Amino acid sequence: MDLILPNGGTPAGTSSPASSSSLLNRLQLDDDIDGETRDLFVIVDDPKKHVCTMETYITYRITTKSTRVEFDLPEYSVRRRYQDFDWLRSKLEESQPTHLIPPLPEKFVVKGVVDRFSEEFVETRRKALDKFLKRITDHPVLSFNEHFNVFLTAKDLNAYKKQGIALLTRMGESVKHVTGGYKLRTRPLEFAAIGDYLDTFALKLGTIDRIAQRIIKEEIEYLVELREYGPVYSTWSALEGELAEPLEGVSACIGNCSTALEELTDDMTEDFLPVLREYILYSDSMKSVLKKRDQVQAEYEAKLEAVALRKEDRPKVPADVEKCQDRMECFNADLKADMERWQNNKRQDFRQLLMGMADKNIQYYEKCLMAWESIIPLLQEKQEAK
């Protein structure tokens, strides 16, 4: 049974954030990165398995370093499990309804197909959770959210959850009470264009994801065949005289190709697919915010129409209608700003992803070429000897 660590946050000096702390110390706060001042850094690392009577789960160490006045200490180290990240995202959605909340990696996996406690799965999830927090950290509004501060610093997050403290903003409360009873007549062109783009984008990525998974499955099956194929040449060489060395060379060549293919498949599984899935979930999150914006606009239009129907020469616009208009304008501004930020991130992420994919494929084919070229001298020597 693994040692269960306390789910508590402590100053860095009294905990053991060795690897993450040393990494953070190499980062300079207030550096000018992409024209922005960085005053908050967060790293997710050191996954640990906990075995209890009722359940088995993984926790991750989260190390935070900041110069912001909202933090009492310059550095924190806490341990959190997946459901804590899920709680944070839920609270951000409640309290910041006009903003795009980054997606979490999917929680559920098919039992018997993926071992959620395997080293590979845990590392893939760690990377996704680290990216989730970095997305929030880089956001000019979400990074100042009080729930986010508590998540990064609270010694006992469970106690905080049980208190049920309602830290919703006025916007959060107002949007929460908007029902689906209002029907939007026409979505503004710029937001209609966003909706159409997200539908097409998610469809394209979904198709790429399905095909990529099929390719990986076929590569794994091919890898199994190669591993059976290569040794046959080696056992055959024992029966031959002059052909022995060339046959051993072919066997070694196939073995090298197998190793190269395994590396390529691992890279696709660990680096390529997670990015596709993150952005598929991202498009769903954006659609959700877009739908909330539509609801606020529909409410505003309905209330404005009710005022216009009043039998008055110059009906005065009630305060609740003005507030509704303010909410709609806030939604519009925040959604457009987040969409622009998301597009910038997407361009950077996919450039990096595609560049990496090209590089990995080039490396794979170069290794295979080098392996096959290595046996040509063996064959030529036998021919010259004749």
Side-chain angles (χ1 to χ4, degrees), residues 168-273:
L168 295 181
T169 62
R170 294 177 187 174
M171 177 63 70
E173 288 286 3
S174 61
V175 173
K176 189 177 179 181
H177 293 304
V178 173
T179 65
Y182 300 103
K183 187 175 181 180
L184 183 66
R185 293 177 181 175
T186 306
R187 180 182 277 175
L189 290 178
E190 60 181 327
F191 295 110
I194 291 175
D196 292 342
Y197 170 80
L198 292 172
D199 288 338
T200 305
F201 176 74
L203 182 63
K204 298 298 183 187
L205 282 196
T207 302
I208 293 173
D209 182 51
R210 287 191 299 274
I211 295 174
Q213 289 190 62
R214 288 204 301 269
I215 291 173
I216 290 173
K217 181 175 180 292
E218 291 171 2
E219 287 178 343
I220 292 174
E221 292 172 352
Y222 177 48
L223 185 58
V224 172
E225 298 293 341
L226 282 179
R227 285 171 175 165
E228 293 181 6
Y229 183 52
V232 175
Y233 287 90
S234 182
T235 55
W236 179 18
S237 69
L239 304 176
E240 302 293 340
E242 294 182 356
L243 280 176
E245 191 175 0
L247 290 173
E248 284 288 1
V250 171
S251 178
C253 168
I254 295 172
N256 290 335
C257 291
S258 299
T259 302
L261 180 60
E262 183 178 17
E263 292 172 354
L264 178 65
T265 304
D266 289 342
D267 288 331
M268 286 281 288
T269 303
E270 297 169 9
D271 298 329
F272 186 73
L273 291 183

Side-chain angles (χ1 to χ4, degrees), residues 1 26 58 117 139 197 212 227 234 250 256 329:
M1 180 177 293
R26 292 199 297 270
I58 303 291
F117 296 115
H139 197 282
Y197 170 80
R227 285 171 175 165
S234 182
V250 171
N256 290 335
E329 291 175 352

Side-chain angles (χ1 to χ4, degrees), residues 30-47:
D30 298 325
D31 275 353
D32 193 355
I33 302 177
D34 295 331
E36 296 182 2
T37 299
R38 302 294 298 275
D39 54 7
L40 178 62
F41 292 96
V42 178
I43 287 179
V44 179
D45 69 353
D46 190 29

Side-chain angles (χ1 to χ4, degrees), residues 67-282:
T67 57
R68 292 184 180 180
V69 295
E70 290 82 7
F71 293 90
D72 296 330
L73 299 171
E75 189 170 344
Y76 293 85
S77 179
V78 297
R79 297 201 74 85
R80 300 286 186 251
R81 55 188 296 187
Y82 181 91
Q83 66 182 28
D84 298 327
F85 287 84
D86 194 39
W87 170 86
L88 171 62
R89 190 178 190 283
S90 176
K91 288 300 181 183
L92 289 175
E93 279 192 323
E94 289 178 4
S95 57
Q96 310 283 177
T98 64
H99 286 287
L100 172 62
I101 311 301
L104 277 171
E106 294 161 304
K107 178 177 182 179
F108 299 104
V109 296
V110 181
K111 291 184 178 180
V113 177
V114 177
D115 178 8
R116 65 192 183 97
F117 296 115
S118 69
E119 184 177 343
E120 295 78 10
F121 178 83
V122 170
E123 175 59 15
T124 299
R125 172 161 285 184
R126 183 203 66 77
K127 289 179 180 177
L129 295 175
D130 183 71
K131 181 174 285 188
F132 169 71
L133 292 187
K134 282 180 169 56
R135 301 280 197 203
I136 299 172
T137 299
D138 291 339
H139 197 282
V141 176
L142 299 181
S143 64
F144 286 92
N145 184 277
E146 188 168 350
H147 293 295
F148 185 46
N149 184 298
V150 169
F151 176 85
L152 296 177
T153 64
K155 188 173 184 179
D156 187 356
L157 186 62
N158 289 327
Y160 180 83
K161 291 180 185 178
K162 291 175 183 177
Q163 290 176 2
I165 299 176
L167 296 175
L168 295 181
T169 62
R170 294 177 187 174
M171 177 63 70
E173 288 286 3
S174 61
V175 173
K176 189 177 179 181
H177 293 304
V178 173
T179 65
Y182 300 103
K183 187 175 181 180
L184 183 66
R185 293 177 181 175
T186 306
R187 180 182 277 175
L189 290 178
E190 60 181 327
F191 295 110
I194 291 175
D196 292 342
Y197 170 80
L198 292 172
D199 288 338
T200 305
F201 176 74
L203 182 63
K204 298 298 183 187
L205 282 196
T207 302
I208 293 173
D209 182 51
R210 287 191 299 274
I211 295 174
Q213 289 190 62
R214 288 204 301 269
I215 291 173
I216 290 173
K217 181 175 180 292
E218 291 171 2
E219 287 178 343
I220 292 174
E221 292 172 352
Y222 177 48
L223 185 58
V224 172
E225 298 293 341
L226 282 179
R227 285 171 175 165
E228 293 181 6
Y229 183 52
V232 175
Y233 287 90
S234 182
T235 55
W236 179 18
S237 69
L239 304 176
E240 302 293 340
E242 294 182 356
L243 280 176
E245 191 175 0
L247 290 173
E248 284 288 1
V250 171
S251 178
C253 168
I254 295 172
N256 290 335
C257 291
S258 299
T259 302
L261 180 60
E262 183 178 17
E263 292 172 354
L264 178 65
T265 304
D266 289 342
D267 288 331
M268 286 281 288
T269 303
E270 297 169 9
D271 298 329
F272 186 73
L273 291 183
V275 175
L276 294 183
R277 289 167 185 162
E278 183 199 13
Y279 272 93
I280 291 172
L281 294 173
Y282 238 135

